[in-house]
Amino acid sequence: MSNIGLIIEERSRDIGDFLVGRLIPFQKKRMIGPFIFIDHMGPTEIGPNRYMDVDQHPHIGLSTLTYLLDGEIMHEDSIGTQQRIRPGSVNWMVAGKGVSHSERTPKELRNGSVFTMHGYQIWVALPKELEDIAPEFHHIGAEKLPRWSEGTADFTLVAGVGYGRKSPVPVHSPLFMLEIKNTEEFLLNTKDHLKGEIGICIVEGAIEACGELVEKGNIVVSKVEDTCSTVLKPNSHILLFGGEPFTEQRHIYWNFVSSDKTKIEKAKTDWKNKTFPMMTNDTTYVALPK
């Protein structure tokens, strides 16, 4: 296991109607490049009496990346965004100095039908000098993401830079996120194609890395400068993510991320006092956890 720094198995937690496998942060590995939090949503069936309703909640110091494999979500936020996301597209919300948002099953899908919900909610920490920028929101359609094939594997560059290509998602630090699907066994070469720390999230199937078989529901943390060959077993589906790590430590409390603990304390106070930037068309409120 020369280049496998850590193998992290998903740990499940229940948030109402969703069973979430939290991938990072982990006790032994708080971040992978600038990626500080990854939640695996589903797969789970939605409807007719179970819908996704994540009420208004706050963020600071990070960008959220929503990437769906199945289902649809309506995103709304305190800067006035209303954006429906479908599989293969990217919702990229820059929280910066503070933003509130909600995520719900679109009204048009609350018609008694049943569909599958499956995807990933990802937080990317902002560089220290950009933690207090104004909030932004960007939606990038699936058709705008770079896609290519190598042998029996299909690649999509979701965000950042990799394999000589660049995603249109407006990231703020050197990073990458790719989706790879293969039909037959495939030798994955990341050396000289990706820069920084690498995490391999196994959505389906399995990989063999440095002689060890790792199956779905796990994440493997690797080092690109000490890489060994990674073999994707037939009919696998993985997400590659990572990038250049920050020199400063990041603190995380609930939905708040910052290099400065005093900023987190201020965000906590503002949210409790409801002086935090709030949505104008949503009166719901998720209380600060005790």
mmCIF file with all atom_site columns, all heavy atoms in Angstrom, residues 143-156:
data_model
loop_
_atom_site.group_PDB
_atom_site.id
_atom_site.type_symbol
_atom_site.label_atom_id
_atom_site.label_alt_id
_atom_site.label_comp_id
_atom_site.label_asym_id
_atom_site.label_entity_id
_atom_site.label_seq_id
_atom_site.pdbx_PDB_ins_code
_atom_site.Cartn_x
_atom_site.Cartn_y
_atom_site.Cartn_z
_atom_site.occupancy
_atom_site.B_iso_or_equiv
_atom_site.pdbx_formal_charge
_atom_site.auth_seq_id
_atom_site.auth_comp_id
_atom_site.auth_asym_id
_atom_site.auth_atom_id
_atom_site.pdbx_PDB_model_num
ATOM 1   N N   . GLU A 1 143 ? -24.035 19.806 -20.500 1.00 0.00 ? 143 GLU A N   1
ATOM 2   C CA  . GLU A 1 143 ? -23.482 19.871 -21.854 1.00 0.00 ? 143 GLU A CA  1
ATOM 3   C C   . GLU A 1 143 ? -22.239 20.749 -21.939 1.00 0.00 ? 143 GLU A C   1
ATOM 4   O O   . GLU A 1 143 ? -21.486 20.681 -22.921 1.00 0.00 ? 143 GLU A O   1
ATOM 5   C CB  . GLU A 1 143 ? -24.545 20.388 -22.835 1.00 0.00 ? 143 GLU A CB  1
ATOM 6   C CG  . GLU A 1 143 ? -24.875 21.856 -22.724 1.00 0.00 ? 143 GLU A CG  1
ATOM 7   C CD  . GLU A 1 143 ? -25.784 22.221 -21.553 1.00 0.00 ? 143 GLU A CD  1
ATOM 8   O OE1 . GLU A 1 143 ? -26.229 21.301 -20.825 1.00 0.00 ? 143 GLU A OE1 1
ATOM 9   O OE2 . GLU A 1 143 ? -26.058 23.422 -21.370 1.00 0.00 ? 143 GLU A OE2 1
ATOM 10  N N   . LYS A 1 144 ? -21.969 21.562 -20.908 1.00 0.00 ? 144 LYS A N   1
ATOM 11  C CA  . LYS A 1 144 ? -20.814 22.458 -20.928 1.00 0.00 ? 144 LYS A CA  1
ATOM 12  C C   . LYS A 1 144 ? -19.573 21.848 -20.274 1.00 0.00 ? 144 LYS A C   1
ATOM 13  O O   . LYS A 1 144 ? -18.488 22.437 -20.363 1.00 0.00 ? 144 LYS A O   1
ATOM 14  C CB  . LYS A 1 144 ? -21.178 23.769 -20.228 1.00 0.00 ? 144 LYS A CB  1
ATOM 15  C CG  . LYS A 1 144 ? -22.263 24.565 -20.947 1.00 0.00 ? 144 LYS A CG  1
ATOM 16  C CD  . LYS A 1 144 ? -22.555 25.869 -20.229 1.00 0.00 ? 144 LYS A CD  1
ATOM 17  C CE  . LYS A 1 144 ? -23.647 26.659 -20.964 1.00 0.00 ? 144 LYS A CE  1
ATOM 18  N NZ  . LYS A 1 144 ? -23.953 27.934 -20.265 1.00 0.00 ? 144 LYS A NZ  1
ATOM 19  N N   . LEU A 1 145 ? -19.730 20.701 -19.625 1.00 0.00 ? 145 LEU A N   1
ATOM 20  C CA  . LEU A 1 145 ? -18.592 20.079 -18.953 1.00 0.00 ? 145 LEU A CA  1
ATOM 21  C C   . LEU A 1 145 ? -17.758 19.267 -19.946 1.00 0.00 ? 145 LEU A C   1
ATOM 22  O O   . LEU A 1 145 ? -18.316 18.574 -20.799 1.00 0.00 ? 145 LEU A O   1
ATOM 23  C CB  . LEU A 1 145 ? -19.077 19.168 -17.822 1.00 0.00 ? 145 LEU A CB  1
ATOM 24  C CG  . LEU A 1 145 ? -19.882 19.838 -16.704 1.00 0.00 ? 145 LEU A CG  1
ATOM 25  C CD1 . LEU A 1 145 ? -20.335 18.794 -15.686 1.00 0.00 ? 145 LEU A CD1 1
ATOM 26  C CD2 . LEU A 1 145 ? -19.071 20.933 -16.020 1.00 0.00 ? 145 LEU A CD2 1
ATOM 27  N N   . PRO A 1 146 ? -16.433 19.342 -19.848 1.00 0.00 ? 146 PRO A N   1
ATOM 28  C CA  . PRO A 1 146 ? -15.580 18.556 -20.743 1.00 0.00 ? 146 PRO A CA  1
ATOM 29  C C   . PRO A 1 146 ? -15.804 17.054 -20.553 1.00 0.00 ? 146 PRO A C   1
ATOM 30  O O   . PRO A 1 146 ? -15.808 16.560 -19.421 1.00 0.00 ? 146 PRO A O   1
ATOM 31  C CB  . PRO A 1 146 ? -14.161 18.959 -20.313 1.00 0.00 ? 146 PRO A CB  1
ATOM 32  C CG  . PRO A 1 146 ? -14.320 20.284 -19.643 1.00 0.00 ? 146 PRO A CG  1
ATOM 33  C CD  . PRO A 1 146 ? -15.654 20.230 -18.963 1.00 0.00 ? 146 PRO A CD  1
ATOM 34  N N   . ARG A 1 147 ? -15.973 16.348 -21.677 1.00 0.00 ? 147 ARG A N   1
ATOM 35  C CA  . ARG A 1 147 ? -16.184 14.895 -21.655 1.00 0.00 ? 147 ARG A CA  1
ATOM 36  C C   . ARG A 1 147 ? -15.295 14.252 -22.706 1.00 0.00 ? 147 ARG A C   1
ATOM 37  O O   . ARG A 1 147 ? -15.126 14.795 -23.792 1.00 0.00 ? 147 ARG A O   1
ATOM 38  C CB  . ARG A 1 147 ? -17.653 14.557 -21.931 1.00 0.00 ? 147 ARG A CB  1
ATOM 39  C CG  . ARG A 1 147 ? -18.630 15.154 -20.934 1.00 0.00 ? 147 ARG A CG  1
ATOM 40  C CD  . ARG A 1 147 ? -20.075 14.854 -21.310 1.00 0.00 ? 147 ARG A CD  1
ATOM 41  N NE  . ARG A 1 147 ? -21.004 15.561 -20.458 1.00 0.00 ? 147 ARG A NE  1
ATOM 42  C CZ  . ARG A 1 147 ? -21.439 15.117 -19.278 1.00 0.00 ? 147 ARG A CZ  1
ATOM 43  N NH1 . ARG A 1 147 ? -21.024 13.941 -18.847 1.00 0.00 ? 147 ARG A NH1 1
ATOM 44  N NH2 . ARG A 1 147 ? -22.269 15.835 -18.542 1.00 0.00 ? 147 ARG A NH2 1
ATOM 45  N N   . TRP A 1 148 ? -14.747 13.096 -22.370 1.00 0.00 ? 148 TRP A N   1
ATOM 46  C CA  . TRP A 1 148 ? -13.915 12.357 -23.315 1.00 0.00 ? 148 TRP A CA  1
ATOM 47  C C   . TRP A 1 148 ? -13.840 10.887 -22.894 1.00 0.00 ? 148 TRP A C   1
ATOM 48  O O   . TRP A 1 148 ? -14.272 10.523 -21.794 1.00 0.00 ? 148 TRP A O   1
ATOM 49  C CB  . TRP A 1 148 ? -12.521 12.968 -23.411 1.00 0.00 ? 148 TRP A CB  1
ATOM 50  C CG  . TRP A 1 148 ? -11.664 12.803 -22.187 1.00 0.00 ? 148 TRP A CG  1
ATOM 51  C CD1 . TRP A 1 148 ? -10.676 11.887 -21.982 1.00 0.00 ? 148 TRP A CD1 1
ATOM 52  C CD2 . TRP A 1 148 ? -11.698 13.610 -20.989 1.00 0.00 ? 148 TRP A CD2 1
ATOM 53  N NE1 . TRP A 1 148 ? -10.098 12.051 -20.754 1.00 0.00 ? 148 TRP A NE1 1
ATOM 54  C CE2 . TRP A 1 148 ? -10.694 13.106 -20.138 1.00 0.00 ? 148 TRP A CE2 1
ATOM 55  C CE3 . TRP A 1 148 ? -12.464 14.703 -20.579 1.00 0.00 ? 148 TRP A CE3 1
ATOM 56  C CZ2 . TRP A 1 148 ? -10.457 13.655 -18.871 1.00 0.00 ? 148 TRP A CZ2 1
ATOM 57  C CZ3 . TRP A 1 148 ? -12.219 15.240 -19.332 1.00 0.00 ? 148 TRP A CZ3 1
ATOM 58  C CH2 . TRP A 1 148 ? -11.228 14.725 -18.495 1.00 0.00 ? 148 TRP A CH2 1
ATOM 59  N N   . SER A 1 149 ? -13.310 10.069 -23.755 1.00 0.00 ? 149 SER A N   1
ATOM 60  C CA  . SER A 1 149 ? -13.187 8.634  -23.493 1.00 0.00 ? 149 SER A CA  1
ATOM 61  C C   . SER A 1 149 ? -11.738 8.189  -23.681 1.00 0.00 ? 149 SER A C   1
ATOM 62  O O   . SER A 1 149 ? -11.020 8.722  -24.536 1.00 0.00 ? 149 SER A O   1
ATOM 63  C CB  . SER A 1 149 ? -14.091 7.821  -24.424 1.00 0.00 ? 149 SER A CB  1
ATOM 64  O OG  . SER A 1 149 ? -15.450 8.142  -24.213 1.00 0.00 ? 149 SER A OG  1
ATOM 65  N N   . GLU A 1 150 ? -11.345 7.236  -22.861 1.00 0.00 ? 150 GLU A N   1
ATOM 66  C CA  . GLU A 1 150 ? -10.049 6.570  -23.001 1.00 0.00 ? 150 GLU A CA  1
ATOM 67  C C   . GLU A 1 150 ? -10.301 5.079  -22.864 1.00 0.00 ? 150 GLU A C   1
ATOM 68  O O   . GLU A 1 150 ? -10.707 4.623  -21.795 1.00 0.00 ? 150 GLU A O   1
ATOM 69  C CB  . GLU A 1 150 ? -9.071  7.056  -21.935 1.00 0.00 ? 150 GLU A CB  1
ATOM 70  C CG  . GLU A 1 150 ? -8.679  8.515  -22.053 1.00 0.00 ? 150 GLU A CG  1
ATOM 71  C CD  . GLU A 1 150 ? -7.666  8.940  -21.005 1.00 0.00 ? 150 GLU A CD  1
ATOM 72  O OE1 . GLU A 1 150 ? -7.091  8.032  -20.336 1.00 0.00 ? 150 GLU A OE1 1
ATOM 73  O OE2 . GLU A 1 150 ? -7.446  10.153 -20.842 1.00 0.00 ? 150 GLU A OE2 1
ATOM 74  N N   . GLY A 1 151 ? -10.102 4.351  -23.932 1.00 0.00 ? 151 GLY A N   1
ATOM 75  C CA  . GLY A 1 151 ? -10.383 2.926  -23.884 1.00 0.00 ? 151 GLY A CA  1
ATOM 76  C C   . GLY A 1 151 ? -11.837 2.668  -23.565 1.00 0.00 ? 151 GLY A C   1
ATOM 77  O O   . GLY A 1 151 ? -12.729 3.183  -24.238 1.00 0.00 ? 151 GLY A O   1
ATOM 78  N N   . THR A 1 152 ? -12.087 1.911  -22.504 1.00 0.00 ? 152 THR A N   1
ATOM 79  C CA  . THR A 1 152 ? -13.468 1.579  -22.120 1.00 0.00 ? 152 THR A CA  1
ATOM 80  C C   . THR A 1 152 ? -14.000 2.493  -21.027 1.00 0.00 ? 152 THR A C   1
ATOM 81  O O   . THR A 1 152 ? -15.034 2.199  -20.430 1.00 0.00 ? 152 THR A O   1
ATOM 82  C CB  . THR A 1 152 ? -13.548 0.119  -21.640 1.00 0.00 ? 152 THR A CB  1
ATOM 83  O OG1 . THR A 1 152 ? -12.750 -0.030 -20.447 1.00 0.00 ? 152 THR A OG1 1
ATOM 84  C CG2 . THR A 1 152 ? -13.038 -0.832 -22.711 1.00 0.00 ? 152 THR A CG2 1
ATOM 85  N N   . ALA A 1 153 ? -13.307 3.614  -20.764 1.00 0.00 ? 153 ALA A N   1
ATOM 86  C CA  . ALA A 1 153 ? -13.711 4.520  -19.684 1.00 0.00 ? 153 ALA A CA  1
ATOM 87  C C   . ALA A 1 153 ? -14.163 5.858  -20.253 1.00 0.00 ? 153 ALA A C   1
ATOM 88  O O   . ALA A 1 153 ? -13.559 6.396  -21.181 1.00 0.00 ? 153 ALA A O   1
ATOM 89  C CB  . ALA A 1 153 ? -12.572 4.729  -18.697 1.00 0.00 ? 153 ALA A CB  1
ATOM 90  N N   . ASP A 1 154 ? -15.249 6.396  -19.681 1.00 0.00 ? 154 ASP A N   1
ATOM 91  C CA  . ASP A 1 154 ? -15.764 7.711  -20.041 1.00 0.00 ? 154 ASP A CA  1
ATOM 92  C C   . ASP A 1 154 ? -15.475 8.681  -18.905 1.00 0.00 ? 154 ASP A C   1
ATOM 93  O O   . ASP A 1 154 ? -15.785 8.404  -17.738 1.00 0.00 ? 154 ASP A O   1
ATOM 94  C CB  . ASP A 1 154 ? -17.271 7.644  -20.302 1.00 0.00 ? 154 ASP A CB  1
ATOM 95  C CG  . ASP A 1 154 ? -17.611 6.783  -21.503 1.00 0.00 ? 154 ASP A CG  1
ATOM 96  O OD1 . ASP A 1 154 ? -16.831 6.787  -22.479 1.00 0.00 ? 154 ASP A OD1 1
ATOM 97  O OD2 . ASP A 1 154 ? -18.653 6.108  -21.465 1.00 0.00 ? 154 ASP A OD2 1
ATOM 98  N N   . PHE A 1 155 ? -14.899 9.834  -19.248 1.00 0.00 ? 155 PHE A N   1
ATOM 99  C CA  . PHE A 1 155 ? -14.487 10.837 -18.277 1.00 0.00 ? 155 PHE A CA  1
ATOM 100 C C   . PHE A 1 155 ? -15.365 12.085 -18.399 1.00 0.00 ? 155 PHE A C   1
ATOM 101 O O   . PHE A 1 155 ? -15.717 12.502 -19.501 1.00 0.00 ? 155 PHE A O   1
ATOM 102 C CB  . PHE A 1 155 ? -13.037 11.271 -18.532 1.00 0.00 ? 155 PHE A CB  1
ATOM 103 C CG  . PHE A 1 155 ? -11.991 10.255 -18.190 1.00 0.00 ? 155 PHE A CG  1
ATOM 104 C CD1 . PHE A 1 155 ? -11.865 9.082  -18.922 1.00 0.00 ? 155 PHE A CD1 1
ATOM 105 C CD2 . PHE A 1 155 ? -11.096 10.484 -17.154 1.00 0.00 ? 155 PHE A CD2 1
ATOM 106 C CE1 . PHE A 1 155 ? -10.875 8.154  -18.628 1.00 0.00 ? 155 PHE A CE1 1
ATOM 107 C CE2 . PHE A 1 155 ? -10.103 9.559  -16.847 1.00 0.00 ? 155 PHE A CE2 1
ATOM 108 C CZ  . PHE A 1 155 ? -9.994  8.389  -17.586 1.00 0.00 ? 155 PHE A CZ  1
ATOM 109 N N   . THR A 1 156 ? -15.666 12.700 -17.251 1.00 0.00 ? 156 THR A N   1
ATOM 110 C CA  . THR A 1 156 ? -16.284 14.020 -17.204 1.00 0.00 ? 156 THR A CA  1
ATOM 111 C C   . THR A 1 156 ? -15.500 14.861 -16.204 1.00 0.00 ? 156 THR A C   1
ATOM 112 O O   . THR A 1 156 ? -15.324 14.446 -15.051 1.00 0.00 ? 156 THR A O   1
ATOM 113 C CB  . THR A 1 156 ? -17.754 13.954 -16.760 1.00 0.00 ? 156 THR A CB  1
ATOM 114 O OG1 . THR A 1 156 ? -18.492 13.155 -17.678 1.00 0.00 ? 156 THR A OG1 1
ATOM 115 C CG2 . THR A 1 156 ? -18.371 15.350 -16.706 1.00 0.00 ? 156 THR A CG2 1
#
